[in-house]
Amino acid sequence: MTPGGEVVVALDVGGTGMKCALVRPDGATVHAERHATDAARGPEAVVGTILDVAEGLAGKARADGLTPVACGIAVPGVVDEARGVAVWSANVGFRDVPLRDLARERLGLPTALGHDVRVGGLAEARLGAGRDAGHVLFVAIGTGIAAAHVVDGSAAVGAHGAAGEIGHILVRPDGPPCGCGRPGCLEAVASASAIGRRYAELSGAPATAAEVADRAAAGEPLAGRVWREAVDALADGLATGQALFDVATIVIGGGLAQAGPRLFDPLRTALRERLTFHREPRLVAAALGDEAGCLGAALLALDTLAKESR
Ligand SMILES: [Zn+2]
């Protein structure tokens, strides 16, 4: 480790846990730690923990002879990156929390606040599976479905901080209800949670999406049907994404990507069937795993730093 080397304090705050790291400007992680979010304590306590952990990481960097130059924080929900405000988050309980300024005051470091999936996409596009692609759509499929559209290393935020909500593309008008209040959204049909729910509904026995994938591969007709429905809906959603964004590479992350070829082989075929004049994107699995959010938060902080010093 180079003495005096620069690092970014990076935090990826989720509903259950926080992934935290010291990241070098080249994307290498020099130190990582995890903490519980414990969202049930309420948003003020969660903010307190975020600030304490960030301050602790900056102190750890200095103790190790490193220089913390910036702080990047990723949170779920609706994030106003320009104002640095966590506008709304169902699973952490944030409502208009000015997290960027709070962290900047506490740490005395330039700070950036980003959306967890958007910065995850940033990291996959610049350091991971979408590297060198230029135009990348990163789609995270877990309990929900969200995406990031990254062009030349920069993720679109949207006018209201809500770009990339591909999980709420309407794919089945007569489909199951979505958490957003409307029936038939992509994530109500094809998220990992939705797949488990659908299988349980038809079979009467609970199962995870991974188990449904395994049973489908083993030839169980019901699991095969549920998996097929999900893959078809995903292909519909991705075809819409490709019509809008014309990307070179679609990177699939989140828990569902763990299904590997059981997901990617039929999904690639189903997407191909839906494309007419649009060029077929490369469809690949995410490469950075659950580190993507932390790395992306660091990249966002470095981008902000570069802009401020210009
Ligand atoms: Zn929805």
Side-chain angles (χ1 to χ4, degrees), residues 11 13 18 37-39 41-55 73 75 86 92-103 106:
L11 289 87
V13 180
M18 299 180 195
T37 301
D38 205 357
R41 296 175 301 151
E44 270 176 45
V46 173
V47 169
T49 303
I50 290 170
L51 298 177
D52 290 346
V53 167
E55 194 175 30
I73 303 173
V75 297
V92 188
F94 291 150
R95 300 285 182 277
D96 291 314
V97 179
L99 202 47
R100 180 191 64 194
D101 290 350
L102 289 171
R106 173 76 81 90

Side-chain angles (χ1 to χ4, degrees), residues 89-289:
S89 156
N91 48 3
V92 188
F94 291 150
R95 300 285 182 277
D96 291 314
V97 179
L99 202 47
R100 180 191 64 194
D101 290 350
L102 289 171
R104 187 154 59 187
E105 274 161 35
R106 173 76 81 90
L107 302 180
L109 293 174
T111 300
L113 181 72
H115 177 264
D116 58 353
V117 174
R118 278 203 297 270
V119 301
L122 204 62
E124 285 291 347
R126 278 156 65 170
L127 304 169
R131 207 158 43 166
D132 305 323
H135 294 249
V136 175
L137 186 67
F138 171 67
V139 183
I141 309 173
T143 50
I145 300 180
H149 178 216
V150 186
V151 178
D152 296 333
S154 177
V157 172
H160 314 93
E165 292 287 358
I166 199 171
H168 302 282
I169 287 179
L170 181 62
V171 292
R172 298 290 178 269
D174 54 352
C178 178
C180 75
R182 190 183 63 176
C185 290
L186 178 58
E187 77 173 34
V189 182
S191 66
S193 322
I195 292 169
R197 216 160 38 227
R198 179 70 174 147
Y199 183 84
E201 191 182 284
L202 294 175
S203 71
T208 63
E211 286 163 350
V212 175
D214 287 346
R215 289 173 199 176
E220 188 196 302
L222 187 60
R225 175 183 155 196
V226 171
W227 191 249
R228 185 75 234 171
E229 285 174 1
V231 166
D232 283 345
L234 271 178
D236 287 339
L238 295 183
T240 300
Q242 186 63 357
L244 292 171
F245 302 128
D246 181 31
V247 295
T249 302
I250 295 179
V251 179
I252 307 282
L256 207 67
Q258 311 282 327
R262 287 171 188 180
L263 174 68
F264 284 89
D265 291 350
L267 184 56
R268 206 171 274 126
T269 305
L271 178 58
R272 188 173 298 143
E273 285 166 4
R274 285 159 174 76
L275 299 173
T276 54
F277 62 91
H278 294 106
R279 292 283 294 275
E280 184 183 341
R282 230 161 45 94
L283 188 66
V284 295
L288 302 173

Side-chain angles (χ1 to χ4, degrees), residues 6 45 173 183:
E6 295 185 341

